[in-house]
Amino acid sequence: MPRSSFLTSTLSLGALLLIWQLCALLASTPLLPEPAEVLVALFNEITRGELPHHLAITLYRLTVSFFIAMTIGSAVGIALGRSQKANAFFDNWLIIFLNIPALVTIILCYVWFGLIETAAILAVVVNKIPNVIVTLREGARNLDEDLVQMAKAYQFSRLKMLRHVILPQLYPYIMASARTGLALIWKIILVVELLGRSDGMGYQIHLFFQLFDVTSILVYTVAFIIVIQLIETAILKPLDTHSQRWK
Amino acid sequence: MTQLTINIKEKSFSATGKAEKHIAIKDLFFEQAENGFTCIVGPSGCGKTTLLNIIAELDTQFTGEIKLKTQNSNVNATSYVFQTPRLLPWRTVQENIALATNEPETSAESKAAITHILSNLGLDKFVNSYPHHLSLGMQRRAALARAFSVTAHVLLMDEPFVSLDQPTARKARELLLKLWHEQPRSILFVTHDLSEAIELADRILFLSPAPSRIIADVTVDIQRSERAANNIAEFKDRLIQNNKQLEPLI
């Protein structure tokens, strides 16, 4: 990261903390703890091992449902983008699934399949897939036909076509849907855990809600934000740089 | 012995929503001799690119047939140089060529062959460059290298040197002839520039405006060593005097 942009992001984060601090001082209530209190509590929770345990479980669910949704969504999205007939047929389905409220899919999955892990993952996947499909379909529609024709003229195999011609063009769309996907999935996953699991962050936050323990709620939130930032800087950003090196 | 026979009865396009169709090619027949260099000249919009796409089997919606008689069926039928370079921007020049040849990228032998062809075209310093870092002329040469690296019976070229400035285009033509002498093969070269055609070809086919068919089949009988500007101009004049019907096309 260049120095100036590092400086900017430090400044902007600092400003956010400052606003939080001021609000907490003005309100002066246990319902809005100061940043320092939250940090201390975060440290205590980590040493007790409770937070890492639940965070790990949520991250595991996030990873599994993320990869299932991305794989299925990308495949269907590419297929719909490449075939007008298929798209004309499935377009209505897509709009319906896009607009079913997350809560409805979650409850239906639990009612139909029971309060089990598979139902929880399935509920998240079903919520995320339509978004991936829409983004990737857009990408597949905008493929450069000239390059596809070139690949056909030189008799590229299907696999080679996918790897060297199609996927590099879809890359920005895949990254966009991965980023929005992470944000969406973790919001849904907490609701899934709150409604039908006895572990994970959603379950814990539900407990804290009943106790009116705002500090702990904020501790879990901060922990998760840190993890997401790590994923962004350690995985997504380097992937971007690597794949854009030809530009 | 390899022989290519092109026999297109009709090729038409129908605009979506309209009943009437546009006939692009009608009763177009010719045979291409082994290792011959044939230029196809015609007015713009007469279906030259369509003709090449049909021969390359990119377009199969037509009546008639394209027949390639050959003993060696392991080799690709065609390789293709398009009007634009059409290199994959996210792969290096070397990778672009290796992908087209369908050989394992790591084999030292194919690497050496690619480097050889690139140095013939003056691109040896750019083997590992991405296309974005090359000028248009260099990208066109890279596309030419790709087409020659693929062992194919027929090389199709669709106005490959259009939009290059005169000296660069002349250099590109010289390089093309040099590669062709080194690795002989059949070439079908589409152009709208008659001087370019006379400079390059053994034989020139003139196409009519759409629906296109062949209206003249001319053999270029100037020695290759004597194809200087004045001889080309003289040949052109003679051609028009003998074939009045070609005048509107030239």
Side-chain angles (χ1 to χ4, degrees), chain B residues 5 39 47 68 109-110 131 139 151 173 219 231 234 243:
Chain B
T5 311
C39 277
L68 183 72
E109 206 175 310
S110 72
Q139 288 185 30
T151 37
R173 283 195 289 270
T219 307
N231 289 337
E234 190 189 315
N243 303 272

Side-chain angles (χ1 to χ4, degrees), chain B residues 165-191:
Chain B
D165 56 75
Q166 275 306 323
T168 316
R170 192 175 319 120
K171 180 112 195 291
R173 283 195 289 270
E174 278 165 17
L175 289 169
L176 168 62
L177 288 175
K178 188 175 159 204
L179 283 181
W180 180 57
H181 286 305
E182 206 174 274
Q183 304 175 32
R185 65 191 66 191
S186 268
I187 298 183
L188 288 178
F189 186 108
V190 159
T191 177

